[in-house]
Amino acid sequence: MFKITLLYGTIREGRLSIRAAKALEKALKESGKADVTFIDIKDYNLPVMEARLKDMTNPPQSLLDISKALSEADGIILATPEYNNSYSGALKNTVDYFTKEWAKKPIGICCSSDGIRGGINASNLLQLLVLAIGAYPMPYKLLIGELPKVLDINANVLNETVAKNIDRFVKEYLWFVEAIVTQKKKG
Ligand SMILES: Cc1cc2nc3c(=O)[nH]c(=O)nc-3n(C[C@H](O)[C@H](O)[C@H](O)COP(=O)(O)O)c2cc1C
């Protein structure tokens, strides 16, 4: 069983991309190989970052909780909608608080949009962000377009191709996590 932390990153009212993040969480759990911690940044009310966690003298409990979930994870997934050809500002703000938490973590990327391109621009930039924080981006990304058509309000998948893509992503991601966890055990 791998410990996976899924960080879902937009706080927009009426957000649809939570359906993509929840569908992925469900598929990971159904694999029987992942113990998933879902972090919805809307629950944490993080202000715009003025100091990184490592530089704070009295950090808020919210940051300590997220830090713990990231540090303990064998693998992390970043899930975001595409905003203005990029990932959400709220996700970037959250990422910027942390440093050592990311080191050498295998990171899966899940991007979504209401248009047909499924957040591909955001996903490409997110891979660069993952490199910048010293983590490993998985090459295969989960892109989900036409959100309201393909996922219902309870994150049930309504489209066969999307179901296949989620399935492929989960298999590839668990392989990727296992490869890195195995290597880390060797020291
Ligand atoms: C500020 C903003 C910028 C957006 N920019 C893009 C974009 O560049 N490309 C795109 O495909 N969709 C874009 N969208 C539409 C989102 O894909 C759409 O809102 C979708 O439902 C996912 O975001 P949500 O979780 O906020 O609902 C944008 C939405 C907002 C609110």
Side-chain angles (χ1 to χ4, degrees):
M1 201 73 140
F2 298 108
K3 282 187 163 189
I4 306 300
T5 293
L6 196 164
L7 185 63
Y8 169 60
T10 179
I11 61 172
R12 189 182 77 81
E13 278 179 31
R15 59 201 182 157
L16 295 174
S17 54
I18 190 147
R19 300 183 190 185
K22 287 285 177 188
L24 178 54
E25 179 192 25
K26 194 166 154 223
L28 282 162
K29 286 181 173 168
E30 283 171 2
S31 75
K33 294 179 181 170
D35 179 6
V36 186
T37 299
F38 191 98
I39 304 259
D40 178 350
I41 62 173
K42 202 175 177 87
D43 295 336
Y44 292 83
N45 291 316
L46 298 178
V48 175
M49 195 276 298
E50 290 181 352
R52 294 197 281 190
L53 174 59
K54 73 178 181 62
D55 299 322
M56 290 180 178
T57 39
N58 285 308
Q61 191 58 42
S62 55
L63 283 181
L64 295 174
D65 290 346
I66 300 175
S67 173
K68 185 167 184 283
L70 296 174
S71 300
E72 288 179 355
D74 295 313
I76 295 166
I77 292 176
L78 300 177
T80 176
E82 178 164 304
Y83 290 158
N84 297 324
N85 280 357
S86 187
Y87 38 79
S88 87
L91 177 66
K92 177 63 160 54
N93 185 57
T94 307
V95 167
D96 288 344
Y97 274 108
F98 304 100
T99 45
K100 63 182 188 325
E101 290 84 350
W102 305 116
K104 290 186 159 53
K105 296 282 182 180
I107 299 201
I109 288 171
C110 167
C111 292
S112 55
S113 71
D114 59 3
I116 55 168
R117 298 177 69 202
I120 190 163
N121 298 306
S123 75
N124 291 332
L125 294 174
L126 200 45
Q127 285 191 317
L128 292 177
L129 176 63
V130 170
L131 293 173
I133 57 179
Y136 304 124
M138 185 168 79
Y140 181 72
K141 301 166 287 189
L142 181 59
L143 303 179
I144 300 182
E146 300 184 297
L147 274 168
K149 269 198 211 166
V150 302
L151 291 165
D152 73 15
I153 195 166
N154 296 313
N156 295 308
V157 183
L158 308 172
N159 176 285
E160 206 178 316
T161 305
V162 173
K164 276 188 193 153
N165 291 345
I166 293 175
D167 188 51
R168 177 177 169 196
F169 179 89
V170 167
K171 286 196 175 87
E172 294 225 12
Y173 181 65
L174 292 172
W175 182 94
F176 186 61
V177 170
E178 186 172 0
I180 290 171
V181 165
T182 304
Q183 187 61 33
K184 282 178 179 170
K185 279 186 189 150
K186 290 185 194 166

